[in-house]
């Protein structure tokens, strides 16, 4: 896979802005799009992320080595999957009823959200991360590698090479990682899980993940998977 030099972020909301700030601080080129016109988004970007470039979705995707989906989950199908063909894509989205509406209208209950995102963008490589830590924590907890009590993020996907590359990217953004190689394991970090909203060190994060199946949420998920 090609070296990551330019990071493209689809979504100029709170998460997208924070990730853009972290990426700039890590010396990446950053391109970002939002739901409004490029001119409108540019005003926000110039104020909150000076140095980033506002563009259309196509302008972001075509010139970026890595794409981050930081939009409401209910809107990912507004993006033509052909635009993301061949791209490495981070799914930082979660189902959230206040913005997405009724869950059954957004998601098939028989698979995880990231699996459905991967199915839709079937010519792209999806890796799940940046979704379980709140944007305030992402902004405030980023630290250089080796810092004591550095916080960690879960990274998972079905393509080991892509997962490892994204894990290195996450490390460069200021966080340790716990890595899995099964996209469906992203459910461990989605709303309802013990990890959602948590800001933990690598050892604590790994401990919670290792005991996922023992939680009530984990038991419900595993029971549904066996149906």
């Amino acid at each position: 896979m090609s070296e990551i030099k330019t990071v493209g972020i689809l979504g100029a909301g709170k998460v997208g802005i924070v990730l853009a700030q972290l990426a700039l601080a890590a010396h990446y080129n950053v391109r970002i799009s939002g739901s409004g016109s490029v001119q409108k988004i540019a005003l926000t970007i110039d104020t909150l992320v000076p140095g980033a470039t506002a563009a259309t979705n196509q302008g972001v995707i075509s010139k970026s080595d890595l794409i981050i989906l930081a939009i409401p989950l209910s809107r990912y199908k507004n993006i033509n999957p052909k635009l993301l063909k061949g791209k490495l894509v981070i799914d930082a989205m979660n189902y959230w009823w206040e913005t997405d509406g009724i869950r059954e209208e957004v998601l098939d209950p028989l698979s995880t959200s990231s699996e459905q995102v991967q199915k839709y963008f079937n010519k792209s490589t999806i890796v799940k991360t940046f979704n379980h830590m709140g944007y305030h924590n992402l902004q405030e907890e980023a630290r250089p590698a080796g810092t004591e009590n550095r916080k960690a993020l879960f990274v998972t996907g079905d393509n080991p090479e892509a997962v490892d590359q994204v894990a290195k990217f996450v490390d460069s953004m200021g966080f340790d990682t716990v890595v899995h190689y099964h996209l469906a394991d992203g459910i461990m970090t989605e709303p309802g899980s013990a990890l959602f909203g948590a800001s933990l060190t690598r050892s604590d994060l790994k401990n919670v993940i290792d005991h996922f199946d023992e939680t009530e949420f984990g038991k419900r998920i595993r029971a549904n998977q066996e149906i």
Side-chain angles (χ1 to χ4, degrees), residues 26-72:
H27 307 294
Y28 294 102
N29 300 314
V30 176
R31 301 179 67 84
I32 186 168
S33 65
S35 56
S37 66
V38 174
Q39 291 77 15
K40 182 179 178 180
I41 298 301
L43 291 174
T44 301
I45 298 308
D46 288 344
T47 301
L48 299 178
V49 202
T53 301
T56 62
N57 282 351
Q58 185 170 3
V60 168
I61 294 167
S62 64
K63 296 183 179 181
S64 299
D65 306 303
L66 170 70
I67 305 299
I68 301 176
L69 296 177
I71 57 178

Side-chain angles (χ1 to χ4, degrees), residues 87-107:
K87 290 289 185 177
L88 174 59
V89 180
I90 289 177
D91 174 12
M93 302 181 293
N94 285 305
Y95 167 75
W96 198 247
W97 67 271
E98 291 181 336
T99 54
D100 295 321
I102 300 172
R103 184 181 178 90
E104 287 74 15
E105 294 178 355
V106 180
L107 293 171

Side-chain angles (χ1 to χ4, degrees), residues 4 7 14 37 58 73 95 128 147 164 213:
I4 297 171
V7 178
K14 294 172 180 176
S37 66
Q58 185 170 3
L73 183 65
Y95 167 75
K128 184 80 166 181
T147 301
D164 289 346
D213 288 347

Side-chain angles (χ1 to χ4, degrees), residues 65-83:
D65 306 303
L66 170 70
I67 305 299
I68 301 176
L69 296 177
I71 57 178
L73 183 65
S74 56
R75 298 180 191 170
Y76 76 87
K77 288 187 177 179
N78 293 344
I79 302 169
N80 188 329
K82 292 181 180 179
L83 287 177

